[in-house]
Amino acid sequence: MIEQPTVSDVVARHASTTWTREGERQTTRDLVVERPVAIVFNGTTVAVMMASPQDIEDFALGFALTEGYVKSLAEIERFEEIVHDKGTEARFWLVDTAADAFLARRRAALGPMGCGLCGIDSLDEALRNVPPVGAGVRLSAEEIAQAPDALRACQPLHDQARAAHAAGFLIPEQGIYPTREDVGRHNALDKLCGALIRDGINPQSGAIVMTSRLSVDLVQKAAMIGCPTLIGVSAPSSLAVETAREVGMTLIAFCRAGCFDIFTGAERCV
């Protein structure tokens, strides 16, 4: 008989057979839970994503901000998290002015079909213009080099189940706070962005640190909340570097084992 998983909020325990050269053994492992999360504005679903089912309000708010659906908390009238058997709805109700802007955006998205223009619009959205970042703060080389280890110490979900990315906020001479985890790197960043805004932490007061490679969409999301420095343990994409340079962001990658590469914005590193 197949053993059914025992599900908690964020992990599920599954039976497995482990093979080694010495033989096989039966064991169990804690695995990261993925559930669909629908982001809904005034009753209209704009996206459904697979995510780890914790910090959903931070996730939804971060997504709303980094994807340009809202500009600030003042545009949100209320938020509801509705848990269903198959997933979660993150429902936003917007104030009138923000609701009007949202409807205008939806009408534009549902424009001409079958003429190729929708494909052009999709390309424009993928390569969207994002605002330039502010001056921000300067970070010492030692703080940058130690950032991945500091973030690694704040990953309880990864400790329990592996396969979870993390994003944290590095404040000079204070360390990393807050941190958020998720099965997806974009989700982890959205959760962090939402947490920063909800906690009243100025994104220009530090740097975002991530456990992943740095793609252009992560640069775009960081820029949308005005964070001037993005640090990752793995490689950036070429377009991520080009976009970071365009918006004035400091992009640091390959940050591990006490070393890192500065691709753009070296003036913020001392």
Side-chain angles (χ1 to χ4, degrees):
M1 183 178 69
I2 298 175
E3 181 178 337
Q4 296 300 311
T6 302
V7 179
S8 69
D9 287 341
V10 294
V11 298
R13 179 158 293 180
H14 289 263
S16 65
T17 301
T18 300
W19 183 93
T20 69
R21 283 186 167 80
E22 289 72 37
E24 296 180 354
R25 69 176 185 274
Q26 300 302 309
T27 187
T28 58
R29 291 191 182 275
D30 290 335
L31 306 180
V32 175
V33 169
E34 281 184 293
R35 283 172 59 85
V37 177
I39 311 295
V40 183
F41 293 95
N42 286 18
T44 299
T45 300
V46 300
V48 179
M49 291 163 291
M50 302 304 296
S52 303
Q54 84 272 30
D55 303 311
I56 294 299
E57 185 173 359
D58 287 340
F59 173 44
L61 175 59
F63 178 87
L65 290 163
T66 63
E67 297 301 322
Y69 286 99
V70 299
K71 294 182 175 64
S72 70
L73 288 173
E75 295 187 342
I76 299 170
E77 185 176 277
R78 71 181 189 274
F79 173 81
E80 300 172 317
E81 181 179 334
I82 310 298
V83 179
H84 303 281
D85 290 342
K86 294 185 178 180
T88 300
E89 284 186 273
R91 297 178 181 174
F92 288 104
W93 300 97
L94 305 177
V95 300
D96 290 343
T97 53
D100 291 342
F102 169 73
L103 288 175
R105 176 174 176 168
R106 291 294 291 174
R107 283 194 293 268
L110 296 174
M113 296 298 220
C115 61
L117 292 179
C118 52
I120 294 173
D121 290 342
S122 297
L123 293 175
D124 286 342
E125 178 62 22
L127 300 176
R128 58 184 166 145
N129 291 323
V130 292
V133 298
V137 296
R138 303 179 78 185
L139 295 167
S140 71
E142 192 64 27
E143 284 180 307
I144 295 169
Q146 293 176 355
D149 289 338
L151 179 59
R152 179 67 189 84
C154 303
Q155 295 180 244
L157 182 57
H158 180 275
D159 290 342
Q160 184 174 359
R162 303 292 188 264
H165 281 296
F169 193 65
L170 174 64
I171 301 175
E173 299 181 1
Q174 295 184 41
I176 288 188
Y177 176 84
T179 62
R180 290 294 184 269
E181 291 184 276
D182 196 276
V183 69
R185 56 197 173 93
H186 304 86
N187 299 345
L189 179 54
D190 279 335
K191 288 179 178 181
L192 176 67
C193 292
L196 290 174
I197 301 306
R198 287 212 305 139
D199 289 349
I201 299 173
N202 184 353
Q204 291 204 34
S205 66
I208 291 172
V209 185
M210 299 201 64
T211 59
S212 65
R213 65 184 179 87
L214 301 178
S215 53
V216 64
D217 38 3
L218 299 184
V219 171
Q220 291 171 334
K221 285 178 178 290
M224 286 295 288
I225 66 163
C227 185
T229 303
L230 181 59
I231 302 170
V233 302
S234 190
S237 71
S238 175
L239 187 55
V241 173
E242 294 166 10
T243 303
R245 183 176 294 113
E246 289 172 2
V247 301
M249 181 181 292
T250 297
L251 190 68
I252 298 171
F254 299 110
C255 188
R256 52 179 181 258
C259 303
F260 55 87
D261 286 13
I262 305 171
F263 284 89
T264 63
E267 66 276 4
R268 294 192 185 92
C269 305
V270 294

